[in-house]
Amino acid sequence: MKIVLETESRTPAVEKLVAEAFGPDRFAKTVYRLREGVEHDTSLALVAVDNGEVVGTLRFWPIEIDGTPALLLGPLVTAPSRQGKGVGSRLMHAGLARAAAQGHRIVVLVGDEPYYRRFGFTRALARRLELPGWVDPTRFLARELVAGALSGVSGMIGRPREVAQAESARNAA
């Protein structure tokens, strides 16, 4: 199995994995509303490939926390036949290392803390952050890729400023 960047030719397989894992209701979730109209970071979009088949995927999305740049992680999906075999862990380690190497400092996600804790995500780091919609607060987690990156950071998570400004301009027209 190899962890590689997602290519356009693999995007349909990624979309299929995500749809099978989360179903159509996923679009109503707060994190999906943050992703609406925003391109995922293609330099951080990873897939696990085994014998030419996409067996896992991980994406990151640019966000801002009251003006502070950060990343929203997700979805992380492993094919049902590969769950429990380390695919998700390999994707997470590779994705977080790549994000840190690119200079990103903060990553947030909505997920199970018992699973994501091993990658450094905690509820405690997200306590001063807010999402623009309902989410189970026990599942709202954050991680610093640089120690102290969340020090003094608080407030509402939103889309990157340039996306929000473009959206406002379209709505005003």
Side-chain angles (χ1 to χ4, degrees), residues 81-138:
S81 64
R82 300 301 180 95
Q83 290 179 358
K85 297 184 176 160
V87 175
S89 291
R90 287 188 58 193
L91 283 164
M92 283 294 293
H93 287 299
L96 292 171
R98 192 171 183 88
Q102 289 182 11
H104 295 284
R105 301 169 49 84
I106 301 166
V107 181
V108 299
L109 64 81
V110 175
D112 296 323
E113 188 173 17
Y115 177 81
Y116 288 104
R117 186 180 306 126
R118 63 182 145 163
F119 305 109
F121 288 89
T122 67
R123 172 67 194 127
L125 286 172
R127 287 195 194 283
R128 297 178 53 217
L129 310 178
E130 300 173 51
L131 285 167
W134 187 86
V135 65
D136 177 348
T138 65

Side-chain angles (χ1 to χ4, degrees), residues 149-162:
L150 278 162
S151 179
V153 176
S154 64
M156 184 63 66
I157 292 175
R159 298 172 202 208
R161 185 167 290 132
E162 63 273 7

Side-chain angles (χ1 to χ4, degrees), residues 8-79:
E8 202 172 295
S9 65
R10 292 189 172 120
T11 298
V14 167
E15 298 298 338
K16 183 176 185 245
L17 267 181
V18 172
E20 289 171 354
F22 295 106
D25 293 343
R26 70 189 180 280
F27 297 111
K29 295 182 179 184
T30 297
V31 292
Y32 272 86
R33 289 197 309 267
L34 279 171
R35 296 174 187 152
E36 231 174 73
V38 179
E39 258 321 294
H40 65 274
D41 187 328
T42 57
S43 71
L44 294 172
L46 300 177
V47 292
V49 180
D50 194 17
N51 293 321
E53 177 188 1
V54 173
V55 297
T57 180
L58 173 65
R59 286 180 172 170
F60 293 86
W61 305 77
I63 56 169
E64 287 187 11
I65 306 164
D66 197 26
T68 300
L71 292 171
L72 173 66
L73 186 150
L76 170 65
V77 181
T78 301

